[in-house]
């Protein structure tokens, strides 16, 4: 069982930056691949980035390439999403998720989810 808690969301102007954190409970965090997803109002949830258990970014959505990076600290049971040059279209609720095995962009494969954190980018 893994419990995930996101933090770091908020309101930022276009071009600004935010760093989201996802803290995981449990001593087996390093066994899990992690993903960051987002869901904007009226839209389907989409994968933003995915990271393997050993810190390799295995997926990055075209819309965020060059602006968003993910990393993880297995000693601290935390995964991060650094978001730079934010745009209004990045406005969404952001979720972190965990799965055993390989990382994936498919949200149906993720077993554990955080409660989400709101990111709002004003124009």
């Amino acid at each position: 069982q893994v419990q995930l808690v996101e933090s770091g969301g908020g309101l930022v102007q276009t071009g600004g930056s935010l760093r989201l954190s996802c803290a995981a409970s449990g001593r087996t965090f390093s066994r899990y691949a992690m993903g960051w997803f987002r869901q904007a109002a009226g839209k389907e949830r989409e994968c933003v980035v995915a990271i393997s258990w050993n810190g390799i970014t295995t997926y990055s959505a075209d819309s965020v390439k060059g602006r968003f990076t993910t990393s993880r600290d297995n000693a601290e049971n935390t995964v991060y999403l650094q978001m730079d040059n934010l745009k209004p279209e990045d406005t969404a609720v952001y979720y972190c998720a965990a799965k055993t095995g390989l990382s994936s962009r498919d949200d149906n494969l993720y077993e554990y989810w955080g409660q989400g954190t709101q990111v709002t980018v004003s124009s």
Side-chain angles (χ1 to χ4, degrees):
Q1 190 81 10
V2 176
Q3 292 184 326
L4 305 172
V5 179
E6 301 98 335
S7 61
L11 174 64
V12 64
Q13 292 184 333
T14 296
S17 297
L18 284 174
R19 188 193 197 199
L20 305 184
S21 298
C22 173
S25 65
R27 293 179 290 179
T28 60
F29 174 71
S30 61
R31 298 181 184 179
Y32 291 88
M34 302 296 295
W36 283 99
F37 294 80
R38 68 185 181 186
Q39 187 166 22
K43 296 187 177 181
E44 292 187 356
R45 186 166 57 192
E46 63 172 343
C47 184
V48 178
V49 293
I51 185 168
S52 65
W53 69 271
N54 59 349
I56 298 172
T57 299
T58 57
Y59 174 77
S60 182
D62 288 343
S63 59
V64 305
K65 283 181 179 176
R67 300 188 299 121
F68 290 13
T69 57
T70 188
S71 61
R72 65 190 294 164
D73 185 338
N74 287 340
E76 296 294 327
N77 285 7
T78 303
V79 62
Y80 303 99
L81 180 65
Q82 178 66 42
M83 305 185 294
D84 298 319
N85 191 21
L86 283 159
K87 304 176 181 180
E89 51 263 43
D90 295 318
T91 295
V93 178
Y94 284 72
Y95 301 88
C96 66
K99 68 179 297 295
T100 52
L102 299 177
S103 57
S104 172
R105 59 181 291 189
D106 185 349
D107 59 350
N108 291 311
L109 299 179
Y110 283 80
E111 301 157 68
Y112 304 103
W113 291 83
Q115 83 289 350
T117 186
Q118 177 71 45
V119 171
T120 303
V121 185
S122 63
S123 57

